[in-house]
Amino acid sequence: MKKRQKLLILTAALLLLAGGGWFLYRTGFFQAVRSLDSLRAYISRFAPYSHLFFFLLQFLAVVLAPIPSNVVAAAGGVLFGTAPAFLLTFGAVMAGSSLTFTLARALGRDFTDRIVSQKLSEKYQALLHTKATTFLILAFLFPFFPDDMLCILAGLTGLSFRRFFLIVLLTRPWGLFFANALGGSGLELPPWIMLPIGLAGLAVFLLGMKYGDRLENAVLARLSGRGTKKTRP
């Protein structure tokens, strides 16, 4: 890709991010996100286009790191029900993940260095270049990895878009569905079903909060020390 074309695409991408952040700030999103009720009221303000706005909000959550997509997903579950909120969330996440991967692939470090911190980039680069498939599957399944940032960094590897898309398709829905179900009709189940589900979810959350760094480091150490041959990404 020519330097001028890369500059134009990079400028357009950065303007999209800046414009999305400015819009959310001006409309009061960052104040509303402090509680589930205020976030639900915030999304409802955009009726009759609240479904479309929810989709765009989740899309921006992928490309704008400060947006807590799980909290937004829970609010969507309250407003639209589990199934509709999940479909909107998953569609937005797939679109956003594909976009960031493609931009990183096309623009290289000119783009990623402006979005991903040097510390994160250095932490995950080696594994992404040697064991991309295995690492991304584990990272997307566990809640303590920065999924959206990894989608960007994956674009710098030799991983094909088809394989990346398939990994995202098979691994990212589970956490999204649980977040949507927290606020939606999916929790309207018999207590004998909901109790173990709720306890399991709470346990995963607490373990992630308390031991997230240790678990992440254990996964990284395990993958880094597994054999001496480089695997195909």
Side-chain angles (χ1 to χ4, degrees):
M1 183 180 291
K2 294 181 179 180
K3 187 174 182 179
R4 184 177 179 181
Q5 289 177 318
K6 289 181 65 174
L7 181 60
L8 288 174
I9 296 175
L10 177 61
T11 301
L14 293 177
L15 286 175
L16 172 66
L17 297 179
W22 178 84
F23 172 78
L24 294 175
Y25 172 77
R26 292 291 296 174
T27 56
F29 169 79
F30 295 107
Q31 288 75 35
V33 78
R34 294 173 183 173
S35 74
L36 188 61
D37 288 338
S38 60
L39 183 57
R40 179 170 53 106
Y42 170 79
I43 297 173
S44 298
R45 285 168 42 197
F46 295 88
Y49 306 108
S50 52
H51 286 77
L52 175 60
F53 180 73
F54 177 76
F55 177 89
L56 294 175
L57 196 58
Q58 290 292 57
F59 175 80
L60 288 174
V62 178
V63 296
L64 290 176
I67 300 179
S69 58
N70 287 336
V71 177
V72 179
V78 174
L79 287 171
F80 312 123
T82 301
F86 170 71
L87 292 175
L88 290 167
T89 299
F90 187 48
V93 167
M94 291 300 300
S97 300
S98 300
L99 175 63
T100 54
F101 178 91
T102 302
L103 286 173
R105 175 63 49 86
L107 301 173
R109 295 203 170 275
D110 288 340
F111 174 70
T112 59
D113 288 347
R114 288 171 169 80
I115 306 298
V116 183
S117 69
Q118 184 179 359
K119 182 179 179 180
L120 274 179
S121 181
E122 292 176 350
K123 186 174 186 178
Y124 300 119
Q125 255 185 89
L127 280 175
L128 282 169
H129 281 282
T130 57
K131 298 181 174 73
T133 298
T134 303
F135 175 57
L136 286 176
I137 289 173
L138 292 174
F140 290 157
L141 287 175
F142 288 113
F144 42 80
F145 284 96
D147 295 357
D148 300 327
M149 297 297 101
L150 290 177
C151 289
I152 299 174
L153 292 175
L156 298 178
T157 70
L159 190 71
S160 69
F161 176 80
R162 179 181 297 181
R163 180 174 292 194
F164 170 79
F165 188 86
L166 184 61
I167 291 172
V168 174
L169 182 67
L170 296 178
T171 57
R172 296 202 71 177
W174 310 110
L176 300 173
F177 179 79
F178 183 77
N180 288 133
L182 283 176
S185 58
L187 293 185
E188 295 177 4
L189 296 172
W192 61 272
I193 294 179
M194 282 313 307
L195 182 60
I197 293 177
L199 290 176
L202 180 62
V204 170
F205 174 78
L206 292 177
L207 286 172
M209 291 293 292
K210 187 171 183 178
Y211 300 109
D213 291 340
R214 296 183 191 178
L215 292 171
E216 179 183 355
N217 290 332
V219 171
L220 294 177
R222 176 67 176 171
L223 288 177
S224 298
R226 186 187 297 167
T228 58
K229 295 183 179 180
K230 292 186 177 182
T231 61
R232 182 182 176 184

